[in-house]
Amino acid sequence: MARVFRRYQSNIYGNYRKSYLIDGLLVGVAMSLIMLVRDWLAVKPMTAPENYITELVLLVGIFWATYHYRAQLPEGKVSLKELLLLGLGIGVVSAVVYGLWTWLNCGSLHTDMVSYYNQQRIAVMDAADSSAEAKVAIEQVGRYTAGDWGFIAAFRSAVMSVIIAFFAAIIFRTEKSPVRN
């Protein structure tokens, strides 16, 4: 089985845990501020709290953090594994912060957003489908709460961060790990 899978030996050159906690909090707060500014400007979101603007903030945040992390390391040496762990950590921390903010925003500050999101999601669903399963699905969406929308926002951000972290790690790595015998 060892011939099928290559085993790599990789070095960790920096403190990526500290970096993903700090940068993840910053990215999560930036995503939350986008939602807050959008609410202040009375711009209604599309169908969910997660949209292209928050995903763009997540993309820029992860790319900036991986570049900044690499620049701080001695000789700029960083492996794919280290950058993947950094990007995934940033994504998870920022998704948790954004999900908690969405829950707080929809549950306390702007309670009308829950019914707005529910109506928008139902409008997107296939209205021509009159089956019993479609009616049950529409009823379930109509009962979503602020906690449900917070979870949806956090989950979608976390999934997007996996994709973004992978590309950031490939772009900013500077060292390939040698194959172990």
Side-chain angles (χ1 to χ4, degrees), residues 1-180:
M1 193 60 127
R3 291 182 180 179
V4 176
F5 295 108
R6 294 174 137 185
R7 291 185 281 171
Y8 291 96
Q9 177 181 358
S10 60
N11 296 322
I12 302 295
Y13 295 100
N15 188 358
Y16 66 92
R17 289 181 181 98
K18 178 183 174 189
S19 183
Y20 76 63
L21 286 174
I22 293 170
D23 293 337
L25 283 172
L26 291 174
V27 172
V29 167
M31 291 169 65
S32 302
L33 285 175
I34 293 295
M35 178 184 265
L36 188 63
V37 168
R38 185 181 64 199
D39 289 343
W40 281 344
L41 296 176
V43 175
K44 293 289 187 182
M46 293 181 280
T47 58
E50 180 70 18
N51 59 21
Y52 296 120
I53 296 172
T54 55
E55 290 172 357
L56 181 66
V57 170
L58 183 66
L59 176 101
V60 169
I62 290 177
F63 269 77
W64 176 81
T66 53
Y67 175 77
H68 184 66
Y69 179 78
R70 183 184 78 174
Q72 288 181 342
L73 292 176
E75 299 176 15
K77 286 185 174 182
V78 66
S79 65
L80 180 73
K81 174 184 172 183
E82 189 172 2
L83 288 178
L84 273 175
L85 292 172
L86 175 70
L88 293 175
I90 291 169
V92 167
V93 171
S94 65
V96 168
V97 169
Y98 185 61
L100 289 173
W101 172 253
T102 303
W103 172 62
L104 176 72
N105 186 35
C106 291
S108 299
L109 302 176
H110 297 100
T111 55
D112 59 330
M113 292 307 290
V114 173
S115 62
Y116 176 78
Y117 288 143
N118 292 350
Q119 291 169 358
Q120 292 299 312
R121 183 60 59 96
I122 289 171
V124 171
M125 298 173 87
D126 189 12
D129 191 5
S130 61
S131 67
E133 294 171 350
K135 290 178 183 176
V136 169
I138 288 172
E139 288 176 13
Q140 286 178 344
V141 169
R143 289 185 291 218
Y144 280 2
T145 64
D148 295 327
W149 286 110
F151 177 76
I152 289 169
F155 183 75
R156 286 184 61 187
S157 296
V159 169
M160 283 305 298
S161 70
V162 170
I163 298 167
I164 294 167
F166 179 72
F167 285 110
I170 287 175
I171 291 170
F172 291 117
R173 75 174 179 178
T174 57
E175 182 176 283
K176 290 187 178 183
S177 301
V179 178
R180 273 193 309 198

